[in-house]
Amino acid sequence: MTLTPPPANIRKPVYLDYAATTPVAPQVAAKMAECLTLEGNFANPASRSHMLGWQAEEAVEHAREQVAVLIGADTREIVWTSGATEANNLALKGAAENYRILHKAGGHIVVSAIEHKAVLDPASWLEAQGFAVTRVQPNHEGIITAENLQAALRDDTFLVSIMQVNNELGCINDIKSLAAICKSRGILFHCDAAQSAGKIAIDVKDLGVDLLSLSAHKFYGPKGIGALYVRRAADVKIAAQIHGGGHERNMRSGTLATHQCVGMGESAELAQNNLVGDAQRITELRDLLWHGIADLPNLKRNSTSSQCVSGILNVAFVQDESHGCDGEMLLLSLRDLAVSSGSACNSASMSPSYVLKAIGLNDTQAQASLRFSVGRYTTREEIEFAIEHIRSVVMKLMKS
Ligand SMILES: *Cc1c(COP(=O)(O)O)cnc(C)c1O
């Protein structure tokens, strides 16, 4: 079967959606390719009876070490998962199930109102199973304050889940302070670090978290692999959600995908080595983009927090109903850019982003907002092109 190639006149859009996913780094892809075919490291890492199995296990354990180093964990605290969605599910459902076994009752869970759906949906599912759930509102910058968290806690709260970096806004929560509040009350603290890992320095011991979720494809690793950090302590217990063989210290069964683990490990080490340089360059490009469009009429930057991850710029292209662009028209007109309207997860439906609404935007403003996310392979030329493209599209839409 031959596939019809796309017509030559279709130019690839400039990719400014690194917060949705990143391309795999070439050196990472090369390492992964070595773990697939007969000549390569293809054996089952759980095969204990031959050398090929041991070699695969060695590769997986080296990758586990690379991931552990990225977040300051012990290798025994890393549980491989299929991504951050599974890691979040394991953290929330695993902790909840364990609580119910111990207390013969459903307790109280606190999450932020602007978590990724991969936390909000498991929380709602647990609510339907008899647990109580409180969703803490952020401030106008998207930050979860200590006061708001404290006000949500109850005597029967056993789990709090707050993300480190919000995927739509890029704002950074003070996880260390929030986790300390929970620790003093004996409450487990989970953090979704899918948008922060590999972008800002993370030390789980310093942050004081009990559980932390990672996703490789957000830091130039492959899709379909992630990890859950589970602090080694008697009071941090989670019940497995996938059974079958007792892999990953009984917390997550299933044959490990050597190439995926190796890919995540390599991308973690690469991110660690490039942490400062990447952040500096990406911040410069992000600021160049903002300064190139900031003077356009009726523009408003969403989230003005000074604590913001390097790559994300979220902008509303409307002030009120009568001044600004139609969000759908804007996205349709920006054909030469790959960007997100609010969040990738919301783009299928044109319902306004719950994150933007939570920081005070109305439906019109939220629907006329775009998230630009810059990454490791973004060039100055691409940003300059994006600025020109946005300027001409917005000016055209304003006139009509
Ligand atoms: C991407 C993302 C996820 C989901 O990760 P997957 O590995 O794609 O399942 C969860 N949380 C946040 C904050 C994310 O950005």
PDB file of all heavy atoms in Angstrom, residues 350-367:
ATOM      1  N   MET A 350     -15.762  23.560  21.722  1.00  0.00           N
ATOM      2  CA  MET A 350     -15.398  24.970  21.810  1.00  0.00           C
ATOM      3  C   MET A 350     -15.912  25.587  23.109  1.00  0.00           C
ATOM      4  O   MET A 350     -16.132  26.777  23.190  1.00  0.00           O
ATOM      5  CB  MET A 350     -15.882  25.742  20.570  1.00  0.00           C
ATOM      6  CG  MET A 350     -14.885  25.720  19.403  1.00  0.00           C
ATOM      7  SD  MET A 350     -13.187  26.215  19.819  1.00  0.00           S
ATOM      8  CE  MET A 350     -13.350  28.011  19.815  1.00  0.00           C
ATOM      9  N   SER A 351     -16.110  24.754  24.136  1.00  0.00           N
ATOM     10  CA  SER A 351     -16.537  25.293  25.417  1.00  0.00           C
ATOM     11  C   SER A 351     -15.388  26.080  26.025  1.00  0.00           C
ATOM     12  O   SER A 351     -14.229  25.679  25.904  1.00  0.00           O
ATOM     13  CB  SER A 351     -16.957  24.165  26.353  1.00  0.00           C
ATOM     14  OG  SER A 351     -15.847  23.348  26.646  1.00  0.00           O
ATOM     15  N   PRO A 352     -15.703  27.220  26.649  1.00  0.00           N
ATOM     16  CA  PRO A 352     -14.632  28.062  27.180  1.00  0.00           C
ATOM     17  C   PRO A 352     -13.825  27.342  28.258  1.00  0.00           C
ATOM     18  O   PRO A 352     -14.361  26.534  29.008  1.00  0.00           O
ATOM     19  CB  PRO A 352     -15.372  29.278  27.744  1.00  0.00           C
ATOM     20  CG  PRO A 352     -16.784  28.846  27.915  1.00  0.00           C
ATOM     21  CD  PRO A 352     -17.029  27.773  26.907  1.00  0.00           C
ATOM     22  N   SER A 353     -12.531  27.625  28.298  1.00  0.00           N
ATOM     23  CA  SER A 353     -11.628  26.961  29.232  1.00  0.00           C
ATOM     24  C   SER A 353     -12.009  27.215  30.689  1.00  0.00           C
ATOM     25  O   SER A 353     -12.157  28.366  31.107  1.00  0.00           O
ATOM     26  CB  SER A 353     -10.212  27.466  28.980  1.00  0.00           C
ATOM     27  OG  SER A 353      -9.456  27.451  30.163  1.00  0.00           O
ATOM     28  N   TYR A 354     -12.138  26.144  31.467  1.00  0.00           N
ATOM     29  CA  TYR A 354     -12.489  26.308  32.894  1.00  0.00           C
ATOM     30  C   TYR A 354     -11.346  26.950  33.664  1.00  0.00           C
ATOM     31  O   TYR A 354     -11.560  27.564  34.702  1.00  0.00           O
ATOM     32  CB  TYR A 354     -12.895  24.963  33.513  1.00  0.00           C
ATOM     33  CG  TYR A 354     -11.814  23.882  33.492  1.00  0.00           C
ATOM     34  CD1 TYR A 354     -10.923  23.737  34.554  1.00  0.00           C
ATOM     35  CD2 TYR A 354     -11.693  23.015  32.416  1.00  0.00           C
ATOM     36  CE1 TYR A 354      -9.938  22.758  34.533  1.00  0.00           C
ATOM     37  CE2 TYR A 354     -10.715  22.029  32.382  1.00  0.00           C
ATOM     38  CZ  TYR A 354      -9.833  21.912  33.439  1.00  0.00           C
ATOM     39  OH  TYR A 354      -8.854  20.941  33.422  1.00  0.00           O
ATOM     40  N   VAL A 355     -10.134  26.817  33.149  1.00  0.00           N
ATOM     41  CA  VAL A 355      -8.980  27.440  33.816  1.00  0.00           C
ATOM     42  C   VAL A 355      -9.066  28.960  33.675  1.00  0.00           C
ATOM     43  O   VAL A 355      -8.927  29.698  34.654  1.00  0.00           O
ATOM     44  CB  VAL A 355      -7.654  26.915  33.222  1.00  0.00           C
ATOM     45  CG1 VAL A 355      -6.464  27.662  33.806  1.00  0.00           C
ATOM     46  CG2 VAL A 355      -7.524  25.409  33.453  1.00  0.00           C
ATOM     47  N   LEU A 356      -9.307  29.426  32.447  1.00  0.00           N
ATOM     48  CA  LEU A 356      -9.385  30.872  32.213  1.00  0.00           C
ATOM     49  C   LEU A 356     -10.589  31.478  32.938  1.00  0.00           C
ATOM     50  O   LEU A 356     -10.514  32.581  33.471  1.00  0.00           O
ATOM     51  CB  LEU A 356      -9.447  31.157  30.707  1.00  0.00           C
ATOM     52  CG  LEU A 356      -8.206  30.729  29.920  1.00  0.00           C
ATOM     53  CD1 LEU A 356      -8.381  31.003  28.428  1.00  0.00           C
ATOM     54  CD2 LEU A 356      -6.944  31.425  30.436  1.00  0.00           C
ATOM     55  N   LYS A 357     -11.701  30.741  32.989  1.00  0.00           N
ATOM     56  CA  LYS A 357     -12.868  31.253  33.703  1.00  0.00           C
ATOM     57  C   LYS A 357     -12.586  31.348  35.204  1.00  0.00           C
ATOM     58  O   LYS A 357     -13.033  32.274  35.866  1.00  0.00           O
ATOM     59  CB  LYS A 357     -14.093  30.369  33.424  1.00  0.00           C
ATOM     60  CG  LYS A 357     -14.574  30.506  31.977  1.00  0.00           C
ATOM     61  CD  LYS A 357     -15.942  29.916  31.759  1.00  0.00           C
ATOM     62  CE  LYS A 357     -17.017  30.821  32.381  1.00  0.00           C
ATOM     63  NZ  LYS A 357     -18.375  30.311  32.079  1.00  0.00           N
ATOM     64  N   ALA A 358     -11.782  30.393  35.711  1.00  0.00           N
ATOM     65  CA  ALA A 358     -11.472  30.393  37.150  1.00  0.00           C
ATOM     66  C   ALA A 358     -10.610  31.588  37.548  1.00  0.00           C
ATOM     67  O   ALA A 358     -10.621  32.007  38.702  1.00  0.00           O
ATOM     68  CB  ALA A 358     -10.779  29.089  37.545  1.00  0.00           C
ATOM     69  N   ILE A 359      -9.838  32.163  36.600  1.00  0.00           N
ATOM     70  CA  ILE A 359      -9.051  33.349  36.968  1.00  0.00           C
ATOM     71  C   ILE A 359      -9.769  34.641  36.579  1.00  0.00           C
ATOM     72  O   ILE A 359      -9.186  35.721  36.594  1.00  0.00           O
ATOM     73  CB  ILE A 359      -7.620  33.328  36.370  1.00  0.00           C
ATOM     74  CG1 ILE A 359      -7.630  33.331  34.838  1.00  0.00           C
ATOM     75  CG2 ILE A 359      -6.831  32.141  36.912  1.00  0.00           C
ATOM     76  CD1 ILE A 359      -6.270  33.685  34.227  1.00  0.00           C
ATOM     77  N   GLY A 360     -11.053  34.518  36.229  1.00  0.00           N
ATOM     78  CA  GLY A 360     -11.863  35.722  36.109  1.00  0.00           C
ATOM     79  C   GLY A 360     -12.251  36.136  34.701  1.00  0.00           C
ATOM     80  O   GLY A 360     -12.888  37.175  34.511  1.00  0.00           O
ATOM     81  N   LEU A 361     -11.876  35.368  33.681  1.00  0.00           N
ATOM     82  CA  LEU A 361     -12.280  35.742  32.331  1.00  0.00           C
ATOM     83  C   LEU A 361     -13.740  35.355  32.099  1.00  0.00           C
ATOM     84  O   LEU A 361     -14.222  34.359  32.655  1.00  0.00           O
ATOM     85  CB  LEU A 361     -11.402  35.034  31.281  1.00  0.00           C
ATOM     86  CG  LEU A 361     -10.066  35.711  30.923  1.00  0.00           C
ATOM     87  CD1 LEU A 361      -9.094  35.637  32.079  1.00  0.00           C
ATOM     88  CD2 LEU A 361      -9.452  35.070  29.682  1.00  0.00           C
ATOM     89  N   ASN A 362     -14.440  36.139  31.277  1.00  0.00           N
ATOM     90  CA  ASN A 362     -15.792  35.736  30.905  1.00  0.00           C
ATOM     91  C   ASN A 362     -15.729  34.810  29.684  1.00  0.00           C
ATOM     92  O   ASN A 362     -14.646  34.595  29.126  1.00  0.00           O
ATOM     93  CB  ASN A 362     -16.699  36.956  30.662  1.00  0.00           C
ATOM     94  CG  ASN A 362     -16.193  37.825  29.514  1.00  0.00           C
ATOM     95  OD1 ASN A 362     -15.621  37.319  28.541  1.00  0.00           O
ATOM     96  ND2 ASN A 362     -16.390  39.123  29.629  1.00  0.00           N
ATOM     97  N   ASP A 363     -16.873  34.272  29.273  1.00  0.00           N
ATOM     98  CA  ASP A 363     -16.890  33.287  28.175  1.00  0.00           C
ATOM     99  C   ASP A 363     -16.261  33.846  26.902  1.00  0.00           C
ATOM    100  O   ASP A 363     -15.485  33.171  26.227  1.00  0.00           O
ATOM    101  CB  ASP A 363     -18.339  32.846  27.870  1.00  0.00           C
ATOM    102  CG  ASP A 363     -18.850  31.848  28.898  1.00  0.00           C
ATOM    103  OD1 ASP A 363     -18.141  31.625  29.907  1.00  0.00           O
ATOM    104  OD2 ASP A 363     -19.958  31.308  28.701  1.00  0.00           O
ATOM    105  N   THR A 364     -16.598  35.087  26.574  1.00  0.00           N
ATOM    106  CA  THR A 364     -16.089  35.701  25.334  1.00  0.00           C
ATOM    107  C   THR A 364     -14.571  35.828  25.380  1.00  0.00           C
ATOM    108  O   THR A 364     -13.879  35.495  24.415  1.00  0.00           O
ATOM    109  CB  THR A 364     -16.718  37.095  25.133  1.00  0.00           C
ATOM    110  OG1 THR A 364     -18.116  36.982  25.339  1.00  0.00           O
ATOM    111  CG2 THR A 364     -16.429  37.630  23.753  1.00  0.00           C
ATOM    112  N   GLN A 365     -14.072  36.307  26.502  1.00  0.00           N
ATOM    113  CA  GLN A 365     -12.616  36.464  26.642  1.00  0.00           C
ATOM    114  C   GLN A 365     -11.907  35.111  26.608  1.00  0.00           C
ATOM    115  O   GLN A 365     -10.876  34.956  25.962  1.00  0.00           O
ATOM    116  CB  GLN A 365     -12.289  37.172  27.963  1.00  0.00           C
ATOM    117  CG  GLN A 365     -12.746  38.615  28.019  1.00  0.00           C
ATOM    118  CD  GLN A 365     -12.644  39.185  29.433  1.00  0.00           C
ATOM    119  OE1 GLN A 365     -12.864  38.482  30.413  1.00  0.00           O
ATOM    120  NE2 GLN A 365     -12.315  40.461  29.521  1.00  0.00           N
ATOM    121  N   ALA A 366     -12.494  34.127  27.310  1.00  0.00           N
ATOM    122  CA  ALA A 366     -11.866  32.808  27.350  1.00  0.00           C
ATOM    123  C   ALA A 366     -11.839  32.189  25.960  1.00  0.00           C
ATOM    124  O   ALA A 366     -10.849  31.566  25.566  1.00  0.00           O
ATOM    125  CB  ALA A 366     -12.601  31.904  28.339  1.00  0.00           C
ATOM    126  N   GLN A 367     -12.925  32.380  25.198  1.00  0.00           N
ATOM    127  CA  GLN A 367     -12.988  31.782  23.864  1.00  0.00           C
ATOM    128  C   GLN A 367     -12.098  32.503  22.864  1.00  0.00           C
ATOM    129  O   GLN A 367     -11.737  31.944  21.835  1.00  0.00           O
ATOM    130  CB  GLN A 367     -14.441  31.729  23.373  1.00  0.00           C
ATOM    131  CG  GLN A 367     -15.049  30.381  23.700  1.00  0.00           C
ATOM    132  CD  GLN A 367     -16.545  30.345  23.600  1.00  0.00           C
ATOM    133  OE1 GLN A 367     -17.218  31.389  23.668  1.00  0.00           O
ATOM    134  NE2 GLN A 367     -17.095  29.154  23.463  1.00  0.00           N
TER     135      GLN A 367
END
